[in-house]
Amino acid sequence: MDDDRLSALELRLARVEDELAITRLIGSYGPLVDAADADAVAALWAEDGSYDVEGWEMRSRADVRAMVLSPQHQGLVDAGCTHFLGPVVVTVTGDQAVAVCESVLVVHHEKRFHVVRSGANRFDLVRNPAGWEILHRTTRALDGSPEARALLTAVAR
Amino acid sequence: MDDDRLSALELRLARVEDELAITRLIGSYGPLVDAADADAVAALWAEDGSYDVEGWEMRSRADVRAMVLSPQHQGLVDAGCTHFLGPVVVTVTGDQAVAVCESVLVVHHEKRFHVVRSGANRFDLVRNPAGWEILHRTTRALDGSPEARALLTAVAR
Amino acid sequence: MDDDRLSALELRLARVEDELAITRLIGSYGPLVDAADADAVAALWAEDGSYDVEGWEMRSRADVRAMVLSPQHQGLVDAGCTHFLGPVVVTVTGDQAVAVCESVLVVHHEKRFHVVRSGANRFDLVRNPAGWEILHRTTRALDGSPEARALLTAVAR
């Protein structure tokens, strides 16, 4: 009896811990990418993880690292940028998970702050020996395109 | 003794699960409403739940569904909109809960993104057989009105 | 054996509760400061806690309270302001914790909403008898300054 109760608790707590770990992983993206910490950003992805953001297709941790170090991203960081993520909705299924959130990019320019993009994000994650990692992330601007909207419907109740 | 420890754990874990379930429920609103998934948005509310947003009073799940399908909302979705929610502060009391968060609405227009509203939100929730559902939501623009500010004070420590 | 499992569960659950308590504490800041609830904002800090925000150095709960009641802040609240916080990444070590998040300040002016600042925030927290409290908070505008970026790197995986 007590053993069953213990096992049930362990299972439920593990689910909570998974959800929080993934929330934390994704929540780290904004601060790390805005600090231009290329290694730490890359480490959020699996070794062969990918990131597809409107015409920029990264296919490995090394590609993600190169994006952070790119002149485009460094230009944003030097100006002052905020990759602001909204609440993450996580669905865990065993060692895989899907997470969805919206995001807003704010960029500083000539002493003012501008919202330059608003986006839909879908993350597919996997539990590896080192913990949860991003296997694939897709980001699309919320500019009325059906493709962006389709990413958001991975929020299942 | 062990039985007491088990019971205490079960109670504490249930509280954590409630808080996360409500956080997830409310966090789903933005992605679902921006994807114009009318049924899924409506399902966040109780059958007789209500949503009062500045002059628009919805009094049932069907009303919420009709709002998502309305020309006003469809116009926003076609242009590209982001109902961006901030961190949700949840207070659970048995089978009822109150949650508060701020929100920002970003709308895409002529290749640019505009913050068109910033709001205060108070949710009253109830635990139904199907899980937590929104019984009443009130949203007011944070434009200096005392009414908007009053919604925010439901954040108790 | 069961005792070990119980103890392990208690320890893991306590970690989860700490993370959620700190997330909730920091998430309360926006709603409370935008509602101008000076006492409740001050109570988020430890008695001798400090808040350093670009040239404004508060060194106690009383100083934080005075900031909320200041003409500068009351002017923002009367106009309509939203201190919008992003996802908080929390690292707990015993009775101390560090948390990082980004933030956006939206201000209402002449029937429009403006993003007037985007910031990096680092919180150092302490567990006091009354629960978790902010010992020190540092906020810097994300305007390209290395100092703001340095605050964000306290996000450790």
Side-chain angles (χ1 to χ4, degrees), chain B residues 82-94:
Chain B
T82 311
H83 287 77
F84 206 76
L85 268 64
V88 177
V89 183
V90 181
T91 308
V92 179
T93 314

Side-chain angles (χ1 to χ4, degrees), chain C residues 105-121:
Chain C
L105 173 60
V106 178
V107 178
H108 178 255
H109 181 66
E110 293 182 355
K111 298 190 181 294
R112 299 184 68 166
F113 294 87
H114 306 268
V115 173
V116 300
R117 195 180 63 207
S118 180
N121 302 272

